[in-house]
Amino acid sequence: MNNHAIHYIIRFLLGEDISEEIVAAIGYTNNSKHYDRYSIVIIPSGFFTNHIYGTASSLPELPLQEIEGTPLLFGSPLVEQIGDTLVIHADIIASTYFLITRYEEIIQRNVRDEHGRFPGKNSLPYRAGFLHRPIVDEYRILLRKWLRQYGLRIPEIPKEIQHIYLTHDLDSPTLYRTWKGVIRSIRDKRGIIQSIQGKCGPVENDPYYTFPWIFEQNNLLREQTGKDICRAILFVRSGGKCKQDKPHYSLRNTDISQLIQSALSNDMTIGLHSSYQAGIAPTLIKKEKTWLEKNVERSIRFNRHHFLASREPEDMTHLEAAGITDDFTMGYADVAGFRLGTSYPVHWINPVTRRLSSILLHPLTIMDCTLEEKKYMGLNYEEALAYSLNLIEQVKNTGGELTLLWHNTSAQENADSYLCKLYSHLLNELAKK
């Protein structure tokens, strides 16, 4: 295993506030002759052994063991004192690596949904019943506890959300603003005059154009939490020819350029919403990013894949090549939770080459349409609220960051959806934390 990646995982588990001296006091070895070099030794489980790594036999077996109530993918819960060294038989290094790299997806290449995505309900975290818990963050808390048990002065992790990302994907900016929209409007029995007005009148009258309300909601929270904690991002699509990329809006369209300027004036960051087509052919990402940068006249560093269709883990290399520094795709479409096992941003490690990359993955905690009654999880309002508040509480308890994804089409006030009300409720709760 790449020592650089191992060192990164230990550093990631400890947290940025821990000194490099303490990082060096933690060993990852099963050589008992080396135990006295370290304060704490974590025993490797064999996961990284050449004849095991990359094979089906490397996948954890259910039911999982637990260590102090936290699911353990590899190793055993045994903790013992050997001489002056605390020896941990729980392989939290391999367990963390498995989750943050999407390792199981390269072992199960044949498990994909109709959009080429690895389904959340097929994932180990879902099947083992811990997708709603950031167990990698729980390993962080355990490791700090063991260091204190050894006698080192290690602070407790503050129970507070470090950063909040309010993100919005620009999939369908408007409903009635094209000639096809006029036909749709007439079919919706809005009348010819109203339908023409819908195309030619103020864009704010379009039912999908809920951005003024979104800006207002986001700004209220940002004023209460501080802009250094809460950040808003609009992900804009700049390409894609697949049917899933419809409607194909132009960045030079008056409504779109007006929206982008409004977003910027509301201190939002513009990110790339790489297309469905680019998810299939990732070499297109760079072209789409360049076109977006040309039109918004800003450097683009953030990305989220349309349909959350980051199909294969190693496709991340194309984001790197395009100059993307931060990706916000890492959530399952079919079930909300902690896809990477963590609520902290984490550098991607390529599970094929085991190379540590520069790109930072921001876990997606909750996407609006994942919760809905008529879509993936099938939750009613009260169930969706309780589920979302529990995820938010998990992030708070482990000191991580929270990313919400709400589409403008979900911010409509109508009887068919509770998502507008839910977004407002969640932001009000976040203002209290």
Side-chain angles (χ1 to χ4, degrees):
M1 176 57 184
N2 185 328
N3 287 334
H4 190 43
I6 291 292
H7 179 272
Y8 172 74
I9 291 174
I10 294 173
R11 159 55 69 193
F12 175 73
L13 286 174
L14 283 172
E16 295 179 358
D17 60 333
I18 301 300
S19 71
E20 194 63 32
E21 182 181 0
I22 292 177
V23 176
I26 298 174
Y28 187 56
T29 179
N30 54 16
N31 188 338
S32 59
K33 294 179 180 179
H34 295 166
Y35 288 179
D36 60 2
R37 300 179 184 179
Y38 304 103
S39 303
I40 287 180
V41 164
I42 298 169
I43 304 294
S45 58
F47 169 78
F48 293 113
T49 306
N50 287 337
H51 70 277
I52 293 176
Y53 187 91
T55 69
S57 62
S58 64
L59 296 176
E61 294 183 2
L62 299 180
L64 299 176
Q65 296 186 76
E66 293 188 348
I67 181 160
E68 299 189 33
T70 298
L72 180 65
L73 278 59
F74 302 103
S76 75
L78 178 63
V79 176
E80 58 181 338
Q81 189 81 31
I82 299 179
D84 292 330
T85 304
L86 193 65
V87 178
I88 312 296
H89 291 258
D91 191 352
I92 61 173
I93 304 297
S95 298
T96 296
Y97 177 95
F98 182 96
L99 293 168
I100 66 174
T101 62
R102 300 161 61 193
Y103 174 83
E104 65 180 325
E105 298 179 37
I106 68 167
I107 304 301
Q108 303 178 83
R109 298 279 191 186
N110 61 327
V111 180
R112 298 291 186 270
D113 68 9
E114 68 271 26
H115 301 295
R117 305 172 300 197
F118 187 75
K121 291 182 179 177
N122 286 87
S123 71
L124 178 78
Y126 182 85
R127 291 183 293 110
F130 66 80
L131 183 62
H132 65 291
R133 292 170 58 183
I135 69 164
V136 170
D137 303 344
E138 295 180 26
Y139 296 154
R140 176 183 298 230
I141 293 170
L142 280 172
L143 186 54
R144 286 180 171 232
K145 175 185 173 182
W146 291 326
L147 287 167
R148 284 194 296 272
Q149 184 178 325
Y150 184 79
L152 297 172
R153 297 184 65 181
I154 304 295
E156 296 278 358
I157 293 173
K159 289 191 175 184
E160 59 187 20
I161 299 173
Q162 298 297 319
H163 295 285
I164 300 170
Y165 290 98
L166 305 175
T167 70
H168 311 280
D169 294 353
L170 191 59
D171 296 339
S172 300
T174 59
L175 182 61
Y176 298 133
R177 300 289 287 178
T178 63
W179 288 116
K180 286 184 178 180
V182 171
I183 295 171
R184 182 186 298 113
S185 180
I186 293 171
R187 287 175 178 171
D188 290 344
K189 299 180 180 180
R190 283 163 46 94
I192 294 177
I193 294 176
Q194 187 179 0
S195 297
I196 296 296
Q197 289 175 338
K199 181 186 184 303
C200 303
V203 67
E204 289 79 6
N205 293 338
D206 190 274
Y208 280 7
Y209 200 87
T210 58
F211 298 101
W213 181 84
I214 289 173
F215 296 155
E216 180 184 15
Q217 293 293 305
N218 291 355
N219 289 338
L220 282 172
L221 180 61
R222 297 181 75 196
E223 289 170 7
Q224 292 168 311
T225 61
K227 293 183 179 180
D228 56 330
I229 291 177
C230 184
R231 187 170 187 177
I233 307 171
L234 179 67
F235 289 100
V236 179
R237 208 166 62 243
S238 61
K241 297 180 179 179
C242 294
K243 66 177 182 180
Q244 291 85 356
D245 290 316
K246 292 181 179 180
H248 300 130
Y249 56 81
S250 169
L251 296 178
R252 295 182 174 177
N253 173 273
T254 302
D255 291 343
I256 302 301
S257 58
Q258 175 186 319
L259 169 59
I260 290 173
Q261 290 307 311
S262 295
L264 291 171
S265 66
N266 279 276
D267 201 25
M268 291 187 77
T269 300
I270 303 299
L272 174 66
H273 195 34
S274 52
S275 69
Y276 190 93
Q277 184 184 13
I280 298 170
T283 53
L284 294 173
I285 292 172
K286 187 171 185 178
K287 179 181 178 182
E288 293 183 3
K289 175 178 175 287
T290 300
W291 181 241
L292 181 59
E293 287 176 328
K294 182 177 181 179
N295 281 271
V296 302
E297 299 180 338
R298 277 170 168 74
S299 175
I300 301 297
R301 298 186 297 106
F302 294 176
N303 174 77
R304 175 181 286 135
H305 283 277
H306 192 31
F307 275 66
L308 302 184
S310 177
R311 289 169 171 80
E312 302 300 328
E314 58 267 41
D315 289 349
M316 291 283 177
T317 57
H318 295 280
L319 293 178
E320 274 191 287
I324 295 294
T325 60
D326 298 69
D327 182 78
F328 290 80
T329 307
M330 285 297 103
Y332 292 119
D334 59 331
V335 58
F338 301 97
R339 178 174 184 173
L340 301 179
T342 181
S343 62
Y344 284 74
V346 59
H347 281 284
W348 174 62
I349 301 173
N350 187 330
V352 176
T353 64
R354 312 189 207 185
R355 181 184 68 87
L356 178 65
S357 78
S358 61
I359 194 165
L360 199 61
L361 308 181
H362 296 264
L364 172 58
T365 320
I366 305 167
M367 178 171 70
D368 48 10
C369 55
T370 299
L371 305 169
E372 275 192 289
E373 284 182 286
K374 296 179 181 179
K375 293 202 175 178
Y376 295 108
M377 293 182 71
L379 305 179
N380 62 35
Y381 177 78
E382 294 301 330
E383 292 168 335
L385 176 62
Y387 192 89
S388 298
L389 290 177
N390 175 63
L391 293 178
I392 290 171
E393 193 66 18
Q394 295 282 340
V395 174
K396 178 185 176 183
N397 288 340
T398 53
E401 69 175 35
L402 177 76
T403 299
L404 303 181
L405 164 53
W406 242 255
H407 295 82
N408 54 294
T409 50
S410 297
Q412 301 175 84
E413 294 186 21
N414 60 63
D416 297 329
S417 174
Y418 56 67
L419 294 175
C420 179
K421 177 183 174 183
L422 180 61
Y423 189 64
S424 182
H425 195 147
L426 293 181
L427 265 56
N428 287 336
E429 289 297 320
L430 287 168
K432 302 174 186 176
K433 294 188 179 294

